[in-house]
Amino acid sequence: MRRREGVPLTRPRAFITGITGQDGSYLAELLLEEGYEVVGLMRRTSTVNLERIGHIQDRITLVSGDLTDEVSLINVLKEHRPREVYNLAAQSFVAASWSQPVLTGETTALGVTRLLDAIRTVDPEIRFYQASSSEMFGRVHSVPQDETTPFYPRSPYGVAKVYGHWITVNYRESYGLHASSGILFNHESPRRGLEFVTRKVTAAAARIAAGRAREVRLGNLDASRDWGYAGDYVRAMHAMLQRETPGDFVVATGETHTVRELCEVAFGAVGLAWEDHVVVDPAFLRPAEVDLLVGDASKAHRELGWTPAVDFYGLVEMMVRADVAALS
């Protein structure tokens, strides 16, 4: 680690926005294992949910700030002087972006600019990771999608992520920042929010098996996604910032599965037939559905040495087991 004037040489320090989310919690665990000091950004709210990081809360530093307030970001960077910054905070639920398009733009798009500008102002030697998304591809131009595939987002969330991605590229090329983007395809875990379809299905399977519910209502069962395990994907994030040269990387499994398959595996894990409990409800259909999303992570395999360890079936069964355990 490079010594900076007035700053003693100590353990590397990382700053994570969105530390209380699924990805933030797994990344914090990984960085602690790697010997980092971890600082996490939290918004001031009336209700604070620390459930995902409760088991490591005494080993990390939580600070107050907001992606809508650049001054707070500058102050945090000045006080803690991280070597690496991981921007995982966003309005991250695609469906909610239709009802909150302006809020989504403020955090998921402009929030990236504020954080990059804070880094440029305080210490341009900081290495920056931006959480880009496969939702940027939307109406896909080719299958599978890689780093050269054109973007055609189909939701306010996807549009905001495209902005965040390109402003990262622009700050990298214009100011020489070590700024990388991970174009992550869908990644899930037992820590996924209940509003996301994977967790909605696995939690429903557990509740129905326990006699606490009888059905689950879903939208398009034919929607296909490239689903991986969040614990695997944070390893790719970290690997990007260890390279001497920044860049953009697709992170994906290269396999696609439908929501119907998700239901089959999840309900099968508790000995139920999904057809008896899944109801298609038009209320859960998107105004504009994305096409077939499946990623080509060849560049990440080649340049980062990254490969996923958990496959689709192992992931879904892991999530069902966790939801069953949570009920009991």
Side-chain angles (χ1 to χ4, degrees), residues 255-323:
E255 298 180 1
T256 186
H257 299 274
T258 64
V259 175
R260 183 177 281 102
E261 290 178 83
L262 167 66
C263 294
E264 181 180 358
V265 177
F267 280 85
V270 289
L272 298 175
W274 71 270
E275 300 95 328
D276 297 335
H277 304 284
V278 174
V279 177
V280 175
D281 187 339
F284 293 104
L285 296 175
R286 290 187 185 185
E289 184 60 80
V290 302
D291 297 317
L292 178 61
L293 291 177
V294 55
D296 177 358
S298 298
K299 182 181 177 183
H301 300 330
R302 184 176 63 252
E303 298 187 18
L304 302 179
W306 177 86
T307 55
V310 179
D311 66 9
F312 171 76
Y313 303 98
L315 169 64
V316 177
E317 291 167 1
M318 174 202 304
M319 293 174 67
V320 173
R321 286 196 303 270
D323 282 321

Side-chain angles (χ1 to χ4, degrees), residues 69-88:
D69 180 13
E70 187 172 337
V71 172
S72 69
L73 301 175
I74 290 173
N75 289 339
V76 169
L77 295 180
K78 282 183 175 179
E79 180 178 356
H80 294 280
R81 295 286 175 167
R83 182 175 78 175
E84 299 169 7
V85 169
Y86 296 85
N87 183 38
L88 310 184

Side-chain angles (χ1 to χ4, degrees), residues 32 63 85 112 183-184 250 294:
L32 288 171
V63 296
V85 169
V112 185
I183 306 173
L184 271 58
V250 163
V294 55

Side-chain angles (χ1 to χ4, degrees), residues 190 194 198-199 202-204 206 318-328:
L194 288 167
T198 45
R199 184 74 194 291
T202 62
M318 174 202 304
M319 293 174 67
V320 173
R321 286 196 303 270
D323 282 321
V324 168
L327 287 177
S328 60

Side-chain angles (χ1 to χ4, degrees), residues 91-104 155-157 195-196 286-287:
Q91 190 301 101
S92 60
F93 188 40
V94 175
S97 75
W98 287 103
S99 58
Q100 299 178 311
V102 176
L103 173 64
T104 300
S155 67
Y157 171 80
E195 69 272 24
F196 291 87
R286 290 187 185 185

Side-chain angles (χ1 to χ4, degrees), residues 171-236:
Y171 269 66
R172 178 172 74 217
E173 295 179 349
S174 300
Y175 298 117
L177 297 187
H178 192 296
S180 296
S181 285
I183 306 173
L184 271 58
F185 281 64
N186 295 67
H187 47 290
E188 320 296 321
S189 75
R191 300 177 192 175
R192 191 54 137 160
L194 288 167
E195 69 272 24
F196 291 87
V197 68
T198 45
R199 184 74 194 291
K200 183 177 180 179
V201 168
T202 62
R207 293 179 67 241
I208 292 168
R212 301 192 187 185
R214 300 195 330 191
E215 67 178 33
V216 59
R217 292 181 172 269
L218 302 173
N220 181 12
L221 300 184
D222 294 318
S224 295
R225 295 292 184 272
D226 184 329
W227 277 303
Y229 173 48
D232 285 338
Y233 285 32
V234 298
R235 291 190 287 105

